[in-house]
Structure formats: structure tokens, C-alpha cells
Amino acid sequence: MISISIFSEFSIASDSINLNQSIRDGETLVSSGQSFELGFFSPGSSQNRYLGIWHKSIPDIVVWVANKENPIKDSSGALTVSKIGGLILVNQTGSIIWSSSNSSSAAETETLFAQLLDSGNLVLTDNNDTRSESYLWQSFNYPSNTWLPAGMTLGWNVETGEDQYLTSWKNTSDPSAGDFIYKVESDGLPQMVIRNGEIKKFRGGPWNGIQFSGFPSVSSPTFSPIVVLNANNSYSLSETTKFPGTTRVTMNQSGLVQRYILPERSTEWELVYFVPYDQCDNYKQCGANGICRIYNTEICGCLIGFVPKSEPEWEILDWSGGCKRRTPLNCGDGEGFVKVGGVKLPDILDFYWNKSMSLKECRVECMKNCSCTAYANSNITAGGSGCLMWFGDLIDIKDFLNKGTGQDIYIRLAASELGNSEFCILGPQEKENGDNPGGINHFCNAYTGPDILAWLLWKEDKALEIMDPCLKDSCVESQVLRCVQVGLLCVQTLPADRPTMSSVVLMLGNEGSILSRPKQPGFFIERSSRDTHTTTSSEEHHSKNAVTLTMLEAR
């Protein structure tokens, strides 16, 4: 929170000033619904004076600053409506400190006036035409560090020809431009990005028709983003809200974007979310071809079919070097795709986008291009449409535990990798090739091999060793253990102890349900797991007790 000093405040009991009228330091304008106030203030420990807009009930929250780069050194400031420059801020000597810089438009009317709206927007308009499309100037077109979604737009402004984005304050006592910006970047599909200078610190993933694929907290039944494609192929972001109070989004001086709400009849702001939220929100946290899973002990892993570029670096948790393919692509027969579900899609750096293609057509196009490394739907509404293809490394992928949150991507692998992956518990990653075009979650070899091995490892608290090592960095350990436990329940000696298939579905689909401890499987001969590599003839009869499970994703 930023503390401000307003000095002695005197409202002129109006929300507007007319041509040649002024408000001076100590006087304020108040919007008609008493929501916002405009006047002079000093932030933090500063003695400088700035013209700004703040919430009337909570003056500590300044949402817009006019002269943020050029403060007034004393309390002599005055804001005037003038035909020369529209809105003009002057100091004691009459020098112009700041202006709305639209003298050509303002000079055409004698009925010019400025008004502070209940949305927090300060507008310059004509008494004879107060429609929003006829505003000569408005503060919403020139954001400071705060986005007021109830009327303000971020992104490209077709009318002004300027990009509208948030800029952090330098510090709590200085509203001049700080280190961080938050903006809509539209090199292809739009993404919300935080930058520190030229360095990308966070991105929300590409817009998919409903939400930004890696920024699910932006989209909710209460706050619904609207992305508009402009005539010049730029994008703008606005929002509809069902929240009965007030909301704001602020880019703070530490590099965090924070959304706050102010419920009706409340005087305290409540923080709803902020980004970056965790380490996996840091841009390129796991390097090229890595995937970040915040719910794992070691958050970074390689995509299936990839291995760390430098094992020694990964052993000391330095993941910046990323991953490389275990088997290089050669554009030969047998190559296919692995589906990775519920993720923030990779950054769109070297890509191809077609709005009209189907997912099947996208796969065909990607397969024809030897440089294509992955593909996905660009729009997920109405069952999915559009084609987004990546070339080269896949950067900044984040996995979500809730698979209904992110988006699906299909990653190209060599034929030998597809063959190997068929014998892994793939979890959220699925194999797709010509033999299996729809993709399926495999639960392989944990139970199609001897169930005895699983039982022995379970008893020794080594159940994770039943999993293929290729999945060490790409699985959720709790889900693997749950699958093993459910499988062992299904092969218990007495049929009466075994769960029904409907119970199995519930067990696999609901991680909150409590599982009973499995009893030993049928035809079990007591021995150590170290002896299980010696096959006996009796084990060959265990196939009638083996089960094949389709692994369900919890929603």
C-alpha cells in the first residue's frame, strides 16, 4: 500500500470543470457516485506534488498520475481546461508541467469541459456531445500502474495509435516509470507479459478463445477477459465483470501483477491473485524443452523423449540449460506425437498459425514439415479449431495439476521414442501415432507383468520402482502410488476383497478418497523383491489375475 499526503482537502462539490476554470492544490473533483476523486497528492515520504486520481473511500490507492515524470516542487499547482492544450497543469510561474496535448481538437469548441467519471476515467469532452466515442481525450488511454477493468482497455489503441500497458512506479515515493511493464504482446496470438526492461519475466500463455492458456486465474465466472483483434492485426484486452464491488489490477514496483477487489460497503482491499505466483511462473524456469511441475519435489523435468543437456547441472538443481532429444528427429517413417495435457503452451517464438485448420489437418501439416516439433489447437471453443505449430525448441511449459485448466499439445518424437513410451505409465502425457490416432493413457507393465513384483515392492515401500525410469521427471508420484495401490486391490486372493469396476473408477478419479490397504495377491509365494528376476513356471498362470486399467485424469 502506498501512503499519500493530500494536504488540506477541499472538494468543489462537482465532478467537472468547464473551459477556463481551474482546480488548485487542496481542491478536488469527486465523481458523481462518490467513487473516485481527483486532486494533488504527495506519495510516501516525498514532498513533491502530483495530480492524480484515487478511490474516494481509500485515498491511499492512487490509480492514475498525470505528471508522474515531472513533479511540482510546491503546492502552487493548478489544473485548467484550456483551448490551447485541453487539460493543462501549470506551476506557480505558469509553466506547463503537463498537458493532454490535443489543442487542435479542443480549439474547435467553446463548450469544452473535463469530467471525472464513476469508472475512474477523467475525460475531456464537449458539452454538446458527451458520448464516449466523442471524447477528445481520456485518462484511460494513458494508464499508469493500475488497470481499472470496468471500462479501461489494455493493448493497441486504434484511435490514438499507441500501445496501452501498465508501468510500475519507481518506488512508493516516486510514481515515475519503474523497471516493470505489463502488456499485451501480439506476435501472432496475444499473450499477457511482464517485462523487466527487455527481459521477459512472465507470460500468461497464448489466448485460446476462452483464457490465456497459462493464466487461468484471469478467467473466471466473475471476471471474463475479452480479446479483440484490431484491423491492423493488433489486439486489445478488456473485461466484463459480475463482481458487485470494485476491482483493480496493479503492476507493483517489485514486478508483481496483483488483482484486488473492494466489496461493497467495505473499506479494505482483498487480494485475489498475483503473478508470478510460484517458481513455475518464472519465464523459462526449466530451460528449453523442459516442463515445470510445482507440485513435484524437483519442479523441473524434461518432456518425454528428452533428457537433460547437462546431468551435473541438473543434479545441483540448475535447470537453465534445459533438455535435448534423446533420439534426434530424422524426418523418417514412424515418427509420431505424444500428447501432453493440461499445460501452459510453449512461447510462440518460431511458429505457424492457421485459424481455419482442424486439429487433424494441423497434425498432417506438422508431419509434412521436418522442422515442426509440436502442434496444438489455437482455439479451444466449440470443440477446438485452428492450428498452432512450433519449430525448434519448446520454451516455458508449465504443467497444471488440474488437467481441466491448461491446454493440450502434441510433441513430435522419433519412432524409437514412441516405441519406448508405450511401456511407461504416461500419466498426463499420451502417445499418438498412426496406430493410435486418438491417443490413450497407458497403464503398462505395472500389472501386465507379474503382480508379485508390485506386491513385494509395495510391502517394502518401494512401489515407485515399478515405474519405468523414463517417467521419473514427468510423473506425479502420488498418482503413480495410487494406481499401484488400486491395481493391487484388484488382484487380491479372495474375489470378495476385490473392488468393483465402478469403485475402481471412483478410486482413480478421486484423489481425496481413502483406499484400503491391499492384501496379498492370488498365487503369491513369499519371497524378497530381489528374487523376482527369476521366473518360475507358476508365475505364468497369473495372467488370469492381471488387470489392465485406463488411467483417469482427476478433474
Side-chain angles (χ1 to χ4, degrees):
M1 182 172 288
I2 299 170
S3 114
I4 66 171
S5 170
I6 304 176
F7 292 175
S8 57
E9 177 185 315
F10 175 71
S11 171
I12 63 175
S14 174
D15 63 353
S16 61
I17 52 174
N18 295 321
L19 184 65
N20 297 324
Q21 287 185 327
S22 302
I23 62 165
R24 300 186 178 278
D25 199 326
E27 300 175 334
T28 65
L29 295 180
V30 179
S31 64
S32 60
Q34 302 289 303
S35 297
F36 289 91
E37 189 169 23
L38 177 144
F40 292 86
F41 73 99
S42 294
S45 59
S46 174
Q47 298 301 310
N48 292 329
R49 301 297 283 171
Y50 298 89
L51 179 71
I53 298 172
W54 55 84
H55 288 271
K56 171 67 174 171
S57 60
I58 311 179
D60 279 349
I61 304 301
V62 176
V63 299
W64 181 78
V65 184
N67 58 319
K68 58 185 179 181
E69 302 292 341
N70 192 15
I72 300 174
K73 301 301 182 180
D74 52 35
S75 58
S76 64
L79 178 68
T80 301
V81 179
S82 167
K83 291 180 66 176
I84 298 175
L87 283 168
I88 296 177
L89 179 62
V90 298
N91 62 9
Q92 186 175 13
T93 64
S95 299
I96 296 178
I97 301 297
W98 169 88
S99 75
S100 59
S101 302
N102 57 346
S103 56
S104 60
S105 300
E108 298 173 1
T109 178
E110 296 288 337
T111 55
L112 198 64
F113 78 107
Q115 183 179 24
L116 179 61
L117 306 181
D118 253 345
S119 62
N121 194 10
L122 176 66
V123 301
L124 183 68
T125 188
D126 186 342
N127 254 325
N128 297 321
D129 190 354
T130 58
R131 296 174 302 162
S132 60
E133 58 266 28
S134 299
Y135 293 158
L136 301 176
W137 178 91
Q138 54 182 315
S139 62
F140 273 8
N141 286 348
Y142 304 91
S144 295
N145 70 337
T146 299
W147 178 34
L148 298 175
M152 185 184 286
T153 298
L154 296 181
W156 188 260
N157 187 315
V158 177
E159 293 180 4
T160 65
E162 296 185 25
D163 196 10
Q164 297 176 188
Y165 53 87
L166 304 185
T167 304
S168 66
W169 286 21
K170 185 163 291 184
N171 55 59
T172 56
S173 299
D174 185 352
S176 64
D179 295 329
F180 299 95
I181 62 171
Y182 180 55
K183 64 182 301 185
V184 181
E185 293 197 352
S186 53
D187 295 331
L189 289 171
Q191 304 185 94
M192 298 305 300
V193 172
I194 297 175
R195 286 187 180 272
N196 182 351
E198 294 298 316
I199 301 173
K200 192 178 295 185
K201 304 296 290 184
F202 164 85
R203 66 177 190 98
W207 176 253
N208 60 24
I210 297 177
Q211 63 187 25
F212 296 99
S213 70
F215 201 173
S217 50
V218 167
S219 182
S220 70
T222 305
F223 309 112
S224 301
I226 301 173
V227 173
V228 175
L229 174 62
N230 301 313
N232 62 349
N233 289 324
S234 63
Y235 289 88
S236 57
L237 171 68
S238 59
E239 185 178 88
T240 60
T241 177
K242 297 179 182 178
F243 182 68
T246 303
T247 183
R248 63 182 171 91
V249 176
T250 298
M251 173 85 258
N252 77 10
Q253 58 270 17
S254 301
L256 294 179
V257 172
Q258 303 164 308
R259 178 184 282 273
Y260 290 90
I261 58 172
L262 181 67
E264 290 181 323
R265 295 179 293 279
S266 175
T267 57
E268 292 187 7
W269 288 97
E270 299 175 10
L271 179 63
V272 179
Y273 66 78
F274 61 90
V275 292
Y277 177 73
D278 54 43
Q279 282 180 280
C280 287
D281 279 336
N282 296 332
Y283 183 69
K284 208 176 178 181
Q285 173 70 29
C286 298
N289 307 308
I291 183 167
C292 196
R293 296 182 172 91
I294 198 63
Y295 48 80
N296 277 359
T297 304
E298 294 184 9
I299 63 173
C300 283
C302 290
L303 292 167
I304 191 167
F306 292 77
V307 294
K309 281 186 179 178
S310 172
E311 287 284 0
E313 289 180 357
W314 278 59
E315 287 174 2
I316 60 172
L317 306 185
D318 178 2
W319 304 297
S320 59
C323 305
K324 62 181 180 181
R325 289 185 180 275
R326 181 164 38 217
T327 306
L329 298 176
N330 61 8
C331 211
D333 292 337
E335 290 184 353
F337 298 90
V338 167
K339 176 181 174 182
V340 181
V343 299
K344 175 173 72 173
L345 294 182
D347 202 357
I348 43 179
L349 302 172
D350 188 3
F351 69 97
Y352 167 81
W353 177 35
N354 184 296
K355 297 180 185 179
S356 59
M357 279 186 185
S358 68
L359 189 63
K360 185 176 292 187
E361 291 170 330
C362 191
R363 179 187 184 279
V364 171
E365 288 300 311
C366 185
M367 185 61 75
K368 289 194 302 186
N369 190 322
C370 294
S371 300
C372 180
T373 53
Y375 72 93
N377 269 143
S378 58
N379 190 304
I380 63 172
T381 61
S385 63
C387 174
L388 192 56
M389 297 194 307
W390 285 263
F391 306 96
D393 290 331
L394 303 174
I395 306 294
D396 195 40
I397 301 178
K398 177 181 179 178
D399 183 54
F400 294 101
L401 186 58
N402 179 1
K403 295 306 168 187
T405 297
Q407 200 167 335
D408 297 339
I409 183 171
Y410 298 83
I411 298 174
R412 189 173 193 158
L413 292 180
S416 59
E417 291 295 337
L418 291 171
N420 290 335
S421 69
E422 221 172 339
F423 298 99
C424 299
I425 302 174
L426 294 184
Q429 306 193 64
E430 302 172 2
K431 173 175 175 286
E432 186 201 71
N433 59 20
D435 298 327
N436 184 18
I440 183 172
N441 284 332
H442 294 276
F443 186 64
C444 311
N445 272 8
Y447 301 105
T448 53
D451 48 5
I452 302 302
L453 176 59
W455 169 250
L456 290 174
L457 290 172
W458 174 267
K459 284 179 57 179
E460 297 178 12
D461 291 325
K462 299 179 181 177
L464 285 175
E465 293 182 14
I466 197 71
M467 178 180 65
D468 193 296
C470 72
L471 286 172
K472 179 180 181 296
D473 296 321
S474 60
C475 73
V476 181
E477 292 183 358
S478 62
Q479 293 178 357
V480 174
L481 290 173
R482 190 172 189 85
C483 288
V484 172
Q485 187 172 355
V486 171
L488 288 173
L489 289 173
C490 291
V491 295
Q492 296 175 106
T493 302
L494 297 178
D497 291 334
R498 302 170 189 167
T500 63
M501 285 311 299
S502 59
S503 298
V504 169
V505 171
L506 289 175
M507 291 175 185
L508 293 174
N510 182 6
E511 292 195 42
S513 62
I514 299 175
L515 303 183
S516 59
R517 191 163 185 83
K519 301 174 184 177
Q520 71 180 33
F523 306 105
F524 172 69
I525 300 174
E526 186 67 47
R527 55 183 172 164
S528 166
S529 61
R530 292 185 293 271
D531 300 327
T532 57
H533 296 292
T534 303
T535 304
T536 66
S537 58
S538 62
E539 289 179 352
E540 298 177 2
H541 300 287
H542 294 167
S543 60
K544 65 180 180 182
N545 287 319
V547 294
T548 300
L549 297 180
T550 299
M551 188 173 177
L552 302 180
E553 292 291 351
R555 294 280 180 180

